[in-house]
Amino acid sequence: MVLFTTDSRTIAANWTTSEANAGYNMTSILYKGLDLYIKKDGKWVFAGVGSPKMTKGPYDKHSATIVENMPEGTKECLLYLPLFDKVDSLEIGVDDGSMIEPMENPFNHKIVFKGSSITHGASASRPGMSYPARFGRDNGFYVCNLGFSGSSKLQEEFAHVLADAQADAFILDAFSNPQADVIYEKFDRFVDIIRAAHPETPLIFLQTERRETRNFNTNSEEKETAKQKAAEEVVRRRMQNDKNIYFIDSKDFLGDDHIGTIDGTHPNDIGFSRMLDVISPAILEILEGYGIR
């Protein structure tokens, strides 16, 4: 994200990304666009999006007016960058004669989210609508999203990344990508590496969601059931000797009306809202016990 203040009534942007098209289960705004929030009455309020140019490839040069005709006065602005594409350059435009200045980070603590495409935010509508972004924005935390779509399989390399990170807490979507045998094989070593560097930092493990792909696919049902069983077993076993490890069950993450995902796996905005309804109170209660508020 980029944080700045301005007294401009208009905010625009030019930005350069890769030439790639958006993913099949993502909006182009999520993949390549910008997402602006402005502080109002103490809360971050959605202000507008920078819609990328997608009419004809290559899809790398973008220009958009994000918001205009705003009231006079200084605004505190939070601009999320594309969630999946790289950004090679970014220019923020304001009205002639207006000021724009960088703003100090207003968020407290540092919470690292590590996980799959679900944590990455694959099917949210906008970059600021992934569940880690919303959790941080809503609760005043400085959030780092280490979502690795399809590739979060309890690898030692990722554990070393977390060991090297400065964090007040880790929230781990660790079980969405690996199958049950990998969970049993790699979980303890993954935790050992993190614990060597962060012996008392809370590790909050999220159970993987109950995917809608299980509804009529018996193979998916069997594999996902095994994954969820393995996940709960390994975490609860570790919790017996580590009072700083926690497990949050995924019951009610997506609801039961079958409208919480875009493709049976990746939550849409409704799915992420329901997920946050479950995990936010639980996480906040845990963090409160460590003086993280």
Side-chain angles (χ1 to χ4, degrees), residues 53 60 89 110 172 185 259-260:
K53 179 187 79 71
D60 57 340
S89 67
K110 185 175 183 181
L172 300 148
E185 175 188 350
I259 62 173

Side-chain angles (χ1 to χ4, degrees), residues 125-137:
S125 58
R126 311 189 301 261
M129 294 295 282
S130 69
Y131 81 86
R134 291 175 60 184
F135 180 82
R137 190 169 66 247

Side-chain angles (χ1 to χ4, degrees), residues 1 19 28 32 69 96 103 125 129 134 163 175 178 180 193 201 204 213 236 248 254 268 273-274 280 287 292:
M1 67 181 74
E19 298 180 354
S28 57
K32 305 175 78 75
N69 301 315
D96 288 343
M103 190 173 77
S125 58
M129 294 295 282
R134 291 175 60 184
F175 309 116
I193 292 170
T201 303
I204 305 170
T213 55
R236 294 205 182 280
I248 297 177
L254 299 177
N268 53 28
S273 291
R274 290 172 176 172
S280 290
L287 298 182
I292 302 171

Side-chain angles (χ1 to χ4, degrees), residues 17-22 32 57-62 85-86 88:
T17 63
S18 78
E19 298 180 354
N21 203 337
K32 305 175 78 75
Y59 308 107
D60 57 340
K61 304 291 186 183
H62 314 284
D85 211 342
K86 66 175 183 174
D88 288 326

Side-chain angles (χ1 to χ4, degrees), residues 12-16 34 61-66 87 89-93:
N14 298 325
W15 69 105
T16 304
L34 307 174
K61 304 291 186 183
H62 314 284
S63 181
T65 297
I66 301 173
V87 178
S89 67
L90 170 67
E91 299 173 329
I92 299 173

